[in-house]
Amino acid sequence: MKVLVVLMLVTWIWATDPKVPVDPEEPVGPPQPYSFTYAAGRYPGHIDRTHSETSDGSGTIRGMFAYVDPRYQVRTVEYVADAQGFHPVLSNPVADTPTVAAAKAKHADLYARIAAEHARIAAERGPEQEDQTQHLNY
């Protein structure tokens, strides 16, 4: 009986919880400036990663994170994220293994073939049909 009462109480709380609906069509305000920094570790008193980031409020984000890799080397990445993409600068970059190099080459080849196919399709459609496609702007 107690279980039934608890179950009914939990159900009532869940059903009466005021949920605020999120409207995906509602415009989002302009970016706001922010800044944060943190350091963390696997146990108290041990720091094995840090992260700091700052946004200027105009869409440009600058940051840095560092971590201790499995070989106990500190790896640091400084980055800028803006309208043109994510631009990392790595300290002590790791050389590609033969498997990674082959995967990168395969990816570049596939990307080039897809880009060529899309260019061919766009040329066949002509300029009057180009504006009919939807583009995502992030």
Side-chain angles (χ1 to χ4, degrees):
M1 184 65 173
K2 290 180 184 178
V3 173
L4 182 60
V5 171
V6 170
L7 184 59
M8 288 173 50
L9 180 62
V10 169
T11 304
W12 179 77
I13 291 172
W14 176 79
T16 59
D17 184 25
K19 294 176 178 54
V20 178
V22 177
D23 183 7
E25 299 298 322
E26 185 176 318
V28 178
Q32 299 295 314
Y34 68 86
S35 182
F36 71 82
T37 300
Y38 71 84
R42 299 182 190 275
Y43 51 85
H46 175 75
I47 295 175
D48 60 8
R49 57 195 171 273
T50 62
H51 188 181
S52 62
E53 184 174 286
T54 302
S55 170
D56 61 7
S58 70
T60 301
I61 299 168
R62 298 179 187 283
M64 185 277 301
F65 64 90
Y67 64 96
V68 178
D69 73 5
R71 295 183 179 123
Y72 300 104
Q73 293 182 337
V74 176
R75 302 284 181 185
T76 303
V77 179
E78 294 182 10
Y79 60 89
V80 175
D82 56 20
Q84 286 72 45
F86 183 74
H87 314 284
V89 177
L90 288 71
S91 70
N92 306 326
V94 179
D96 290 344
T97 64
T99 304
V100 171
K104 284 183 176 180
K106 183 178 179 181
H107 174 78
D109 178 58
L110 183 59
Y111 180 87
R113 288 191 287 148
I114 291 170
E117 178 69 8
H118 286 196
R120 182 189 63 75
I121 292 169
E124 287 175 1
R125 286 184 180 165
E128 67 278 354
Q129 292 182 359
E130 287 182 10
D131 293 332
Q132 294 177 1
T133 60
Q134 292 182 346
H135 300 280
L136 298 177
N137 295 319
Y138 294 104

